[in-house]
Amino acid sequence: MSSQHSPGTADVPAVGADSPFRQGHLPRDEAPQFVLPLVVRIEKADPPARTDALETAARAVLVLLTDERARGGGEWAEAVRDWQDARIRKVVRRARGAEWRKAETLPGVTVHGARSQVRVFPPVPLDGWPKELAKLQVSGTDLDDPEPAGEAAAGLPVLWLNPDLGMSAGKAMAQVGHAAQLAWWELTDAERTAWQEDGFRLAVRTAPRERWAELGGGGLPVVRDAGFTEIAPGSCTVVADHPALRARL
């Protein structure tokens, strides 16, 4: 991974050679492994649009990281620290009806998009999922955009998807969550505050093929997937194009 964190940020995990997204064996693999669960609400009669769900999932990761329960001496802080000390794993599952209502009873935060809802929970051990979440489906989560997403609004952070990778919606939601987290790690405290006060607004778009090489090699944070599911290890999945980071290139 090409990203390096900026001076002045606090409690930022290393993201260089020991990147939590790299393939191969890492020192991080020796630590107990945790996963960040995200559940997207997909009602059969009214599923969310794909781009809306992806953007909501990315925002949900940032909302979790900045929740007072995840910081300092908060009740989720130890789990979040343990998770960030190991591989950064996120798993997206889907729920509807009674399943969604049960998921809402567990500690977590529900983040709303235009029509989507994603609930993010504090990290859990890989083999320690709450029973209400463990029974939810993880594979086959796919969504469509009724209309093309269009250009992102000027000045918004954009999480660019690799145009040559076919990822399910669930896989893509996890990947844009990784990208949002990488961007967050690299921002200064003032830049983080500004983004948070703006409601973590962002856009997710598929990169034009003619721009992908430039985006991936230009010094912006790049997610290189560990290859646990769907795609080959080391695949570049998302580039985090935050205006504050681009201004420093």
Side-chain angles (χ1 to χ4, degrees):
M1 183 174 301
S2 61
S3 55
Q4 298 291 329
H5 67 78
S6 302
T9 56
D11 300 321
V12 180
V15 294
D18 191 28
S19 164
F21 303 107
R22 279 192 180 277
Q23 75 268 33
H25 189 80
L26 300 174
R28 289 173 177 272
D29 294 323
E30 303 302 323
Q33 299 295 303
F34 289 77
V35 62
L36 186 77
L38 297 102
V39 175
V40 56
R41 184 177 186 180
I42 303 181
E43 297 293 342
K44 195 170 184 179
D46 188 27
R50 180 183 175 98
T51 296
D52 184 29
L54 265 60
E55 292 173 349
T56 304
R59 289 174 46 236
V61 172
L62 298 170
V63 168
L64 184 282
L65 289 173
T66 55
D67 192 289
E68 61 181 13
R69 291 167 289 185
R71 304 171 64 185
E75 60 191 279
W76 301 345
E78 183 176 359
V80 170
R81 284 193 295 269
D82 288 343
W83 168 60
Q84 293 192 111
D85 283 344
R87 291 274 189 176
I88 303 298
R89 301 176 193 242
K90 301 177 181 72
V91 172
V92 179
R93 299 189 173 184
R94 65 183 186 270
R96 66 172 182 257
E99 295 173 332
W100 175 258
R101 291 190 291 274
K102 286 180 182 178
E104 284 196 302
T105 66
L106 299 179
V109 184
T110 298
V111 178
H112 296 258
R115 293 181 60 186
S116 61
Q117 296 179 55
V118 175
R119 189 163 181 84
V120 59
F121 304 86
V124 297
L126 278 178
D127 58 354
W129 284 69
K131 64 181 187 298
E132 295 88 348
L133 302 183
K135 64 179 66 173
L136 299 179
Q137 292 294 318
V138 64
S139 62
T141 300
D142 218 343
L143 299 166
D144 296 313
D145 279 319
E147 299 178 359
E151 291 190 14
L156 276 189
V158 181
L159 308 179
W160 294 106
L161 295 165
N162 185 332
D164 296 319
L165 290 179
M167 293 185 283
S168 67
K171 178 70 172 182
M173 290 168 74
Q175 296 299 299
V176 297
H178 294 336
Q181 188 169 3
L182 284 183
W184 179 256
W185 284 348
E186 295 204 17
L187 295 174
T188 66
D189 290 340
E191 290 162 350
R192 290 178 175 186
T193 297
W195 200 10
Q196 185 174 6
E197 290 179 347
D198 194 38
F200 294 123
R201 288 196 308 139
L202 53 82
V204 174
R205 297 291 186 270
T206 299
R209 280 189 170 83
E210 63 273 16
R211 286 197 62 204
W212 178 247
E214 170 199 344
L215 286 165
L220 293 167
V222 178
V223 179
R224 296 185 185 274
D225 190 57
F228 294 123
T229 60
E230 290 194 25
I231 58 179
S235 299
C236 300
T237 58
V238 190
V239 174
D241 191 355
H242 192 290
L245 301 180
R246 179 167 286 279
R248 294 203 283 270
L249 296 179

